Amino acid sequence: MDALLERSHQLKQALIDFILDADDELAQALESYAAKQLRRGSGDIIQQELSIDSFAIEGKVGDNSPLDLFIQSHPELSESDRQLLDSWHRSFMGLFAIVKVLDDGFELMNWLTAKNYIVKFNNAKTQREMSRLKEGEILLTRISPVTKSYWTFSGPYTQMGKLGKPKLAVAIGNFKENYKNHLYSDAPDLLEEAWQSVVRYHEQFVEFFGSDEVTMPGYQLNKKIAELQGINTEKSLAAAGIDSSKSLAEIAQEAGVDEEEIETAAADLGADSKVVSQLLKSKTTTAKMVASKVELPAELKKAEAVTAFSHPRWGQMFLPTYTKIKTILVAEDWQSIEGAEKLILHYLESKNINAFIWYRLAAEYPNSLEKILQTVLQRPDFNLKNDLDALLQEYDKPLEPELPEIASVPVHLHNLFQEALGEVHKSKPKSKGQKKAAKGFQTL
């Protein structure tokens, strides 16, 4: 173990001690940060340690991170120490696969971005604990840079073992839910493309429906969304150089595979054969992202009225109760409406009702919304203009959008999710068309 790795461990321990020994604003910030993080996790010791580790880099005390405060509080640090500490602003959480076991660490692949890293141990205890890990196992952990060529483990890790594709897809879904700010933190190009895809879908939504808000029966809305996606698929096929008017045999020949491969892959994955052709062809193009599929859940398909919203940052939302909430807000006697108070509280408590919905209601019905909230919350002094943001934060609603589900995903993740679905389908009784494996898809 080289001196720089040992020094990184010493500095990390000093940083954590600096945070835990604090009794001022830093301690208050840690308490607030940890409480919010632990609500999302299991609350076990590893989760607690991960929370402190993340707070050291991501937490805020005024305009500074705890890491910044540590550097400022230790003027005796050498220039090389300061450079090393400053580089930790690039540390990030990831869901990593062990690609190769090395004498002093691992080669890891971040499943979210398919980027590889040499990650070395910086202390003997971690090396002993992790020596039993094997190639192919999945780790949830945070890594920090040491030099331009290798990284180290920033803190604790969660060992998830070797996961089949369905379980790996679930693990990635959980990561996306719990670590939204780390989805593509080491691949800013993918993150930018994902956000741009939200803008493009919003523009397509508005062009198709003529508005950013539409209400119709659930079954009809589902058909319309499918129709919109069909139009978008045609455009993406054209952009990929695939002529949708051509026969499957012609497309297969151009993609360099046989027709049976495409039909088998499409059957296994539950996908349209021409979309599969696009993915097969994308293996030889520069395509990085694939559009997410949108389909209403079964309960919304059966709903009498569903309101769909689209926004270039907040993404797409479907609410089966929006017409009722508007009825409550325009009623002369809103308390006479059955379930009115319960629905208002639901809009506050549900994580599916984001700040965008509240801002829209506040813009359209400011007076009635303010009065209703004063009554429901028993806060007669509640002022909608001044207090709404604080109320939303009180109910854990981010005031700024996080990357929405509608965002496109990297090709390798899309393929994984589709292959996971294919394996689930294969676990059921097979039809004749499901016996041959599709060679056109790459696996990682």
Side-chain angles (χ1 to χ4, degrees), residues 19 60 84 93 106 162 215 224 259 264 273 293 353 411 417 434:
I19 292 171
K60 285 293 181 184
L84 178 59
M93 286 290 298
F106 303 105
K162 293 184 179 181
T215 301
K224 286 292 186 181
E259 187 174 347
T264 301
S273 57
K293 183 179 180 181
I353 313 295
V411 170
F417 297 149
Q434 289 179 302

PDB file of all heavy atoms in Angstrom, residues 19 60 84 93 106 162 215 224 259 264 273 293 353 411 417 434:
ATOM      1  N   ILE A  19     -16.246  16.081  11.856  1.00  0.00           N
ATOM      2  CA  ILE A  19     -17.708  16.208  11.737  1.00  0.00           C
ATOM      3  C   ILE A  19     -18.391  15.727  13.004  1.00  0.00           C
ATOM      4  O   ILE A  19     -19.287  16.400  13.550  1.00  0.00           O
ATOM      5  CB  ILE A  19     -18.212  15.413  10.515  1.00  0.00           C
ATOM      6  CG1 ILE A  19     -17.713  16.069   9.218  1.00  0.00           C
ATOM      7  CG2 ILE A  19     -19.730  15.324  10.510  1.00  0.00           C
ATOM      8  CD1 ILE A  19     -17.961  15.243   7.970  1.00  0.00           C
ATOM      9  N   LYS A  60     -24.365  20.613   3.487  1.00  0.00           N
ATOM     10  CA  LYS A  60     -24.150  22.054   3.383  1.00  0.00           C
ATOM     11  C   LYS A  60     -24.294  22.729   4.742  1.00  0.00           C
ATOM     12  O   LYS A  60     -25.234  22.451   5.492  1.00  0.00           O
ATOM     13  CB  LYS A  60     -25.156  22.678   2.402  1.00  0.00           C
ATOM     14  CG  LYS A  60     -24.843  22.400   0.931  1.00  0.00           C
ATOM     15  CD  LYS A  60     -23.553  23.089   0.498  1.00  0.00           C
ATOM     16  CE  LYS A  60     -23.235  22.847  -0.959  1.00  0.00           C
ATOM     17  NZ  LYS A  60     -21.941  23.449  -1.340  1.00  0.00           N
ATOM     18  N   LEU A  84      -5.558  16.543  -2.607  1.00  0.00           N
ATOM     19  CA  LEU A  84      -6.240  15.263  -2.449  1.00  0.00           C
ATOM     20  C   LEU A  84      -7.641  15.462  -1.879  1.00  0.00           C
ATOM     21  O   LEU A  84      -8.631  14.911  -2.398  1.00  0.00           O
ATOM     22  CB  LEU A  84      -5.424  14.344  -1.535  1.00  0.00           C
ATOM     23  CG  LEU A  84      -6.029  12.966  -1.222  1.00  0.00           C
ATOM     24  CD1 LEU A  84      -6.270  12.175  -2.503  1.00  0.00           C
ATOM     25  CD2 LEU A  84      -5.123  12.187  -0.270  1.00  0.00           C
ATOM     26  N   MET A  93     -21.521   7.915  -5.152  1.00  0.00           N
ATOM     27  CA  MET A  93     -22.124   6.618  -4.867  1.00  0.00           C
ATOM     28  C   MET A  93     -22.354   5.891  -6.177  1.00  0.00           C
ATOM     29  O   MET A  93     -22.687   6.508  -7.191  1.00  0.00           O
ATOM     30  CB  MET A  93     -23.465   6.788  -4.152  1.00  0.00           C
ATOM     31  CG  MET A  93     -23.375   7.201  -2.702  1.00  0.00           C
ATOM     32  SD  MET A  93     -22.743   5.898  -1.631  1.00  0.00           S
ATOM     33  CE  MET A  93     -24.017   4.641  -1.837  1.00  0.00           C
ATOM     34  N   PHE A 106      -9.744  -3.745  -6.603  1.00  0.00           N
ATOM     35  CA  PHE A 106     -10.596  -4.328  -7.644  1.00  0.00           C
ATOM     36  C   PHE A 106     -10.636  -3.408  -8.856  1.00  0.00           C
ATOM     37  O   PHE A 106     -10.418  -2.203  -8.743  1.00  0.00           O
ATOM     38  CB  PHE A 106     -12.042  -4.482  -7.150  1.00  0.00           C
ATOM     39  CG  PHE A 106     -12.196  -5.305  -5.912  1.00  0.00           C
ATOM     40  CD1 PHE A 106     -12.446  -4.684  -4.689  1.00  0.00           C
ATOM     41  CD2 PHE A 106     -12.114  -6.683  -5.946  1.00  0.00           C
ATOM     42  CE1 PHE A 106     -12.608  -5.424  -3.533  1.00  0.00           C
ATOM     43  CE2 PHE A 106     -12.276  -7.444  -4.798  1.00  0.00           C
ATOM     44  CZ  PHE A 106     -12.518  -6.814  -3.590  1.00  0.00           C
ATOM     45  N   LYS A 162     -23.810 -11.981  -6.198  1.00  0.00           N
ATOM     46  CA  LYS A 162     -23.986 -12.080  -7.641  1.00  0.00           C
ATOM     47  C   LYS A 162     -25.477 -12.079  -7.939  1.00  0.00           C
ATOM     48  O   LYS A 162     -26.222 -12.916  -7.426  1.00  0.00           O
ATOM     49  CB  LYS A 162     -23.334 -13.357  -8.173  1.00  0.00           C
ATOM     50  CG  LYS A 162     -21.813 -13.366  -8.050  1.00  0.00           C
ATOM     51  CD  LYS A 162     -21.206 -14.614  -8.689  1.00  0.00           C
ATOM     52  CE  LYS A 162     -19.683 -14.583  -8.584  1.00  0.00           C
ATOM     53  NZ  LYS A 162     -19.048 -15.768  -9.221  1.00  0.00           N
ATOM     54  N   THR A 215     -57.184  15.854 -19.754  1.00  0.00           N
ATOM     55  CA  THR A 215     -57.960  14.959 -18.904  1.00  0.00           C
ATOM     56  C   THR A 215     -58.906  14.145 -19.772  1.00  0.00           C
ATOM     57  O   THR A 215     -59.607  14.700 -20.632  1.00  0.00           O
ATOM     58  CB  THR A 215     -58.773  15.746 -17.862  1.00  0.00           C
ATOM     59  OG1 THR A 215     -57.888  16.514 -17.046  1.00  0.00           O
ATOM     60  CG2 THR A 215     -59.570  14.797 -16.971  1.00  0.00           C
ATOM     61  N   LYS A 224     -54.044   6.953 -26.227  1.00  0.00           N
ATOM     62  CA  LYS A 224     -53.429   8.165 -26.785  1.00  0.00           C
ATOM     63  C   LYS A 224     -51.923   8.208 -26.503  1.00  0.00           C
ATOM     64  O   LYS A 224     -51.126   8.591 -27.365  1.00  0.00           O
ATOM     65  CB  LYS A 224     -54.109   9.408 -26.208  1.00  0.00           C
ATOM     66  CG  LYS A 224     -55.500   9.676 -26.765  1.00  0.00           C
ATOM     67  CD  LYS A 224     -55.424  10.081 -28.230  1.00  0.00           C
ATOM     68  CE  LYS A 224     -56.776  10.490 -28.780  1.00  0.00           C
ATOM     69  NZ  LYS A 224     -56.680  10.856 -30.216  1.00  0.00           N
ATOM     70  N   GLU A 259     -33.897 -12.711 -39.798  1.00  0.00           N
ATOM     71  CA  GLU A 259     -35.234 -12.312 -39.385  1.00  0.00           C
ATOM     72  C   GLU A 259     -35.675 -13.045 -38.121  1.00  0.00           C
ATOM     73  O   GLU A 259     -36.331 -12.476 -37.246  1.00  0.00           O
ATOM     74  CB  GLU A 259     -36.217 -12.593 -40.526  1.00  0.00           C
ATOM     75  CG  GLU A 259     -37.614 -12.063 -40.295  1.00  0.00           C
ATOM     76  CD  GLU A 259     -38.493 -12.241 -41.527  1.00  0.00           C
ATOM     77  OE1 GLU A 259     -37.951 -12.550 -42.604  1.00  0.00           O
ATOM     78  OE2 GLU A 259     -39.709 -12.092 -41.390  1.00  0.00           O
ATOM     79  N   THR A 264     -37.349 -13.532 -32.434  1.00  0.00           N
ATOM     80  CA  THR A 264     -37.121 -14.202 -31.157  1.00  0.00           C
ATOM     81  C   THR A 264     -36.838 -13.184 -30.065  1.00  0.00           C
ATOM     82  O   THR A 264     -37.394 -13.253 -28.958  1.00  0.00           O
ATOM     83  CB  THR A 264     -35.934 -15.187 -31.260  1.00  0.00           C
ATOM     84  OG1 THR A 264     -36.223 -16.147 -32.265  1.00  0.00           O
ATOM     85  CG2 THR A 264     -35.708 -15.898 -29.931  1.00  0.00           C
ATOM     86  N   SER A 273     -40.763  -5.564 -33.023  1.00  0.00           N
ATOM     87  CA  SER A 273     -39.628  -6.113 -33.766  1.00  0.00           C
ATOM     88  C   SER A 273     -38.793  -5.021 -34.419  1.00  0.00           C
ATOM     89  O   SER A 273     -37.573  -5.132 -34.518  1.00  0.00           O
ATOM     90  CB  SER A 273     -40.115  -7.101 -34.827  1.00  0.00           C
ATOM     91  OG  SER A 273     -41.032  -6.482 -35.705  1.00  0.00           O
ATOM     92  N   LYS A 293     -40.313   3.628 -21.984  1.00  0.00           N
ATOM     93  CA  LYS A 293     -41.672   3.292 -22.387  1.00  0.00           C
ATOM     94  C   LYS A 293     -42.647   3.800 -21.340  1.00  0.00           C
ATOM     95  O   LYS A 293     -42.394   3.709 -20.140  1.00  0.00           O
ATOM     96  CB  LYS A 293     -41.820   1.776 -22.546  1.00  0.00           C
ATOM     97  CG  LYS A 293     -43.210   1.354 -23.029  1.00  0.00           C
ATOM     98  CD  LYS A 293     -43.298  -0.152 -23.182  1.00  0.00           C
ATOM     99  CE  LYS A 293     -44.693  -0.558 -23.664  1.00  0.00           C
ATOM    100  NZ  LYS A 293     -44.823  -2.023 -23.815  1.00  0.00           N
ATOM    101  N   ILE A 353     -47.230  13.225  -5.731  1.00  0.00           N
ATOM    102  CA  ILE A 353     -47.725  14.586  -5.973  1.00  0.00           C
ATOM    103  C   ILE A 353     -46.566  15.530  -5.697  1.00  0.00           C
ATOM    104  O   ILE A 353     -46.229  15.798  -4.553  1.00  0.00           O
ATOM    105  CB  ILE A 353     -48.921  14.942  -5.072  1.00  0.00           C
ATOM    106  CG1 ILE A 353     -49.964  13.827  -5.054  1.00  0.00           C
ATOM    107  CG2 ILE A 353     -49.526  16.273  -5.502  1.00  0.00           C
ATOM    108  CD1 ILE A 353     -50.641  13.587  -6.366  1.00  0.00           C
ATOM    109  N   VAL A 411     -28.239   3.035 -23.220  1.00  0.00           N
ATOM    110  CA  VAL A 411     -28.546   1.817 -23.973  1.00  0.00           C
ATOM    111  C   VAL A 411     -28.261   0.573 -23.149  1.00  0.00           C
ATOM    112  O   VAL A 411     -29.050  -0.388 -23.143  1.00  0.00           O
ATOM    113  CB  VAL A 411     -27.747   1.790 -25.300  1.00  0.00           C
ATOM    114  CG1 VAL A 411     -27.870   0.432 -25.979  1.00  0.00           C
ATOM    115  CG2 VAL A 411     -28.240   2.881 -26.237  1.00  0.00           C
ATOM    116  N   PHE A 417     -32.684  -4.020 -18.673  1.00  0.00           N
ATOM    117  CA  PHE A 417     -34.075  -4.097 -18.239  1.00  0.00           C
ATOM    118  C   PHE A 417     -34.889  -5.002 -19.164  1.00  0.00           C
ATOM    119  O   PHE A 417     -35.710  -5.798 -18.715  1.00  0.00           O
ATOM    120  CB  PHE A 417     -34.701  -2.697 -18.196  1.00  0.00           C
ATOM    121  CG  PHE A 417     -34.059  -1.777 -17.204  1.00  0.00           C
ATOM    122  CD1 PHE A 417     -34.001  -0.409 -17.435  1.00  0.00           C
ATOM    123  CD2 PHE A 417     -33.499  -2.253 -16.034  1.00  0.00           C
ATOM    124  CE1 PHE A 417     -33.407   0.450 -16.526  1.00  0.00           C
ATOM    125  CE2 PHE A 417     -32.899  -1.411 -15.110  1.00  0.00           C
ATOM    126  CZ  PHE A 417     -32.852  -0.057 -15.364  1.00  0.00           C
ATOM    127  N   GLN A 434     -39.596 -19.132 -28.665  1.00  0.00           N
ATOM    128  CA  GLN A 434     -38.746 -18.617 -27.605  1.00  0.00           C
ATOM    129  C   GLN A 434     -37.541 -19.491 -27.324  1.00  0.00           C
ATOM    130  O   GLN A 434     -36.819 -19.263 -26.381  1.00  0.00           O
ATOM    131  CB  GLN A 434     -39.554 -18.465 -26.314  1.00  0.00           C
ATOM    132  CG  GLN A 434     -40.562 -17.334 -26.378  1.00  0.00           C
ATOM    133  CD  GLN A 434     -41.343 -17.247 -25.096  1.00  0.00           C
ATOM    134  OE1 GLN A 434     -41.987 -18.193 -24.684  1.00  0.00           O
ATOM    135  NE2 GLN A 434     -41.301 -16.112 -24.443  1.00  0.00           N
TER     136      GLN A 434
END
